[in-house]
């Protein structure tokens, strides 16, 4: 696919919004780093983000909204969250909050969790795009997995050119590092990722932030971290073609029995990714003793699907310490001019 470079004019923004509404991927500038945007209510579009980035895992993505009113339609906010929003939005602070049942968001956006990370960016082009598009936009950093975040459109094209529909070129990012992520979905506010807004500045508003400690399961700081992986409450058996008594079969491909739920009857991994969390939830109901999952090829998005299935199959071994969760964190480097070595990295 040819990646269009759209100027940050009214026309460029309108075209970007149109592509996004049609389920395409468009990279856009924010004040932190460039985001790889997709309609956060469209499962297939969100799955396409993971494919374009070559992400080996489904980690939850940040959902971007134009203002607080739009955020309130997606998540449950309390006084503490509203105070943070009033102080730091629009800006480089991401809040993790409970998803509203009527949010309409793709489950893949939060990797099956009941929480969603939300942010109101203050970059004028991001704002214009969000308003023109009229949909919440899921957007991790616009670079391939394991590469550092892109802070201008040249970096984006070097990494994702040919894999996404368009880049909205809004020049260099002002902040140049990712947003600070604070989980305020539970009683203790937990700093999940340091970023553009210093922790001390946040603490001046709501008091001390807890540090996540994934190794210490008993710590009051842990719940936010431990809840990061969604897993069904019933056992999963992977790579099997037949169900045992009491189990439901989760199929993949044309060979699956007609009556089984099928991640993708045509064997399309993107479709399977888009269906994964919703189907795991659909089968995690009283009366079903376990889920037998048919083999998924270990290629492309299949790797991320299998990774999540394996984690769901062995929840005890999953301490929430997700090595490449912070794949996009990179060094907290200030905004630098483009150098060739980096662009081709
Ligand atoms: P990215 O969108 O790639 O910049 O990264 C998103 C970051 O937000 C992840 O590294 C997580 O730390 C955090 N995050 C997003 N959604 C959630 C969630 N539902 N629960 C906890 N952390 C989240
Ligand atoms: Mg990134």
């Amino acid at each position: 696919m040819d990646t269009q470079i759209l100027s940050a004019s009214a026309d460029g923004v309108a075209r970007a919004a149109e592509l996004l509404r049609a389920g395409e991927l468009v990279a856009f500038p924010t004040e932190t780093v460039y985001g790889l945007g997709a309609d956060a209510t469209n499962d297939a579009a969100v799955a396409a983000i993971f494919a374009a980035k070559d992400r080996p895992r489904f980690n939850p993505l940040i959902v971007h909204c134009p203002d607080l009113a739009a955020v309130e339609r997606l998540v449950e906010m309390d006084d503490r969250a509203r105070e943070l929003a009033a102080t730091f939005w629009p800006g480089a602070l991401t809040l993790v909050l409970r998803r509203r049942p009527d949010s309409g968001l793709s489950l893949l956006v939060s990797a099956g969790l009941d929480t969603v990370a939300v942010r109101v960016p203050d970059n004028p082009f991001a704002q214009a795009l969000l308003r023109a598009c009229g949909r919440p936009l899921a957007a991790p950093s616009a670079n391939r997995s394991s590469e550092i975040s892109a802070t201008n459109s040249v970096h984006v094209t070097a990494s994702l050119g040919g894999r996404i529909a368009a880049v909205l070129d809004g020049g260099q990012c002002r902040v140049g590092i990712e947003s600070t992520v604070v989980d305020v979905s539970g009683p203790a506010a937990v700093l999940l990722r340091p970023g553009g807004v210093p922790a001390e500045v946040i603490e001046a508003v709501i008091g001390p932030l807890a540090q996540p400690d994934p190794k210490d399961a008993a710590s009051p700081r842990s719940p936010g971290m431990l809840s990061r992986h969604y897993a069904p409450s019933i056992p999963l058996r992977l790579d099997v073609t037949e169900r045992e008594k009491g189990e439901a079969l989760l199929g993949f491909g044309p060979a699956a029995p007609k009556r089984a739920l099928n991640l993708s009857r045509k064997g399309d991994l993107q479709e399977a990714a888009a269906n994964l969390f919703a189907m795991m939830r659909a089968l995690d109901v009283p009366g079903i003793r376990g889920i037998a999952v048919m083999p998924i090829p270990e290629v492309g998005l299949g790797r991320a699907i299998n990774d999540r299935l394996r984690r769901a199959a062995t929840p005890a071994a999953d301490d929430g310490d997700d090595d490449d969760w912070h794949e996009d964190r990179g060094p907290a480097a200030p905004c630098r001019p483009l150098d060739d070595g980096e662009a081709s990295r």
Side-chain angles (χ1 to χ4, degrees):
M1 123 180 15
D2 266 353
T3 300
Q4 303 174 45
I5 313 285
L6 302 170
S7 70
S9 59
D11 281 356
V13 168
R15 176 74 186 133
E18 185 186 6
L19 287 166
L20 285 163
R21 276 197 302 269
E24 301 283 347
L25 302 182
V26 177
F28 64 95
T30 81
E31 72 276 27
T32 60
V33 299
Y34 271 71
L36 175 52
D39 176 354
T41 66
N42 179 334
D43 283 320
V46 176
I49 286 182
F50 291 92
K53 282 182 69 91
D54 257 340
R55 260 196 182 169
R57 285 188 182 163
F58 294 126
N59 35 9
L61 309 174
I62 298 171
V63 174
H64 297 71
C65 290
D67 51 34
L68 179 60
V71 170
E72 299 244 21
R73 287 195 283 274
L74 306 179
V75 291
E76 317 274 6
M77 294 191 79
D78 57 12
D79 288 346
R80 181 183 48 179
R82 287 203 187 88
E83 195 170 358
L84 288 172
T87 313
F88 297 106
W89 284 351
L93 176 66
T94 294
L95 298 178
V96 173
L97 288 157
R98 304 224 140 256
R99 166 200 295 263
R100 284 175 58 129
D102 58 351
S103 72
L105 290 171
S106 160
L107 274 181
L108 192 56
V109 121
S110 42
L113 299 173
D114 293 322
T115 53
V116 189
V118 286
R119 181 166 95 83
V120 174
D122 88 346
N123 178 292
F125 308 118
Q127 277 285 333
L129 179 63
L130 286 161
R131 285 174 200 285
C133 181
R135 309 264 169 91
L137 295 180
S141 62
N143 52 272
R144 276 200 237 178
S145 189
S146 84
E147 296 179 356
I148 61 164
S149 300
T151 52
N152 60 43
S153 66
V154 178
H155 283 166
V156 175
T157 325
S159 185
L160 294 171
R163 295 173 163 236
I164 62 178
V167 183
L168 184 65
D169 183 3
Q172 192 81 22
C173 298
R174 180 170 59 77
V175 177
I177 59 170
E178 288 84 354
S179 60
T180 304
V181 182
V182 177
D183 184 343
V184 280
S185 65
V190 183
L191 177 68
L192 293 182
R193 176 176 82 179
V197 179
E200 301 84 315
V201 181
I202 299 167
E203 291 183 323
V205 178
I206 57 160
L209 291 172
Q211 294 290 329
D213 184 359
K215 296 279 177 281
D216 179 6
S219 161
R221 301 159 175 172
S222 301
M225 302 297 289
L226 294 176
S227 65
R228 295 187 321 180
H229 297 298
Y230 165 74
S233 60
I234 51 177
L236 265 75
R237 285 190 312 124
L238 307 183
D239 288 325
V240 294
T241 47
E242 269 170 39
R243 66 191 183 100
E244 286 173 358
K245 195 161 178 286
E247 281 183 338
L249 186 68
L250 182 55
F252 177 79
K258 287 274 174 304
R259 280 180 38 233
L261 267 189
N262 200 321
L263 288 166
S264 170
R265 183 151 302 278
K266 56 180 191 276
D268 178 295
L269 290 167
Q270 199 153 310
E271 183 180 34
N275 285 330
L276 179 65
F277 291 107
M279 289 193 175
M280 278 205 282
R281 279 181 187 249
L283 295 177
D284 188 10
V285 290
I288 298 184
R289 208 168 44 73
I291 305 176
V293 189
M294 288 181 66
I296 317 279
E298 184 75 8
V299 293
L301 273 181
R303 287 181 300 145
I305 295 171
N306 283 324
D307 169 75
R308 183 47 47 110
L309 287 169
R310 279 192 291 268
R311 285 160 183 268
T314 52
D318 183 358
D319 62 1
D321 190 8
D322 190 342
D323 290 340
D324 63 3
W325 180 276
H326 293 296
E327 145 236 309
D328 298 332
R329 234 162 107 168
C335 216
R336 278 173 293 132
L338 170 64
D339 76 64
D340 289 346
E342 190 166 287
S344 57
R345 196 178 297 179

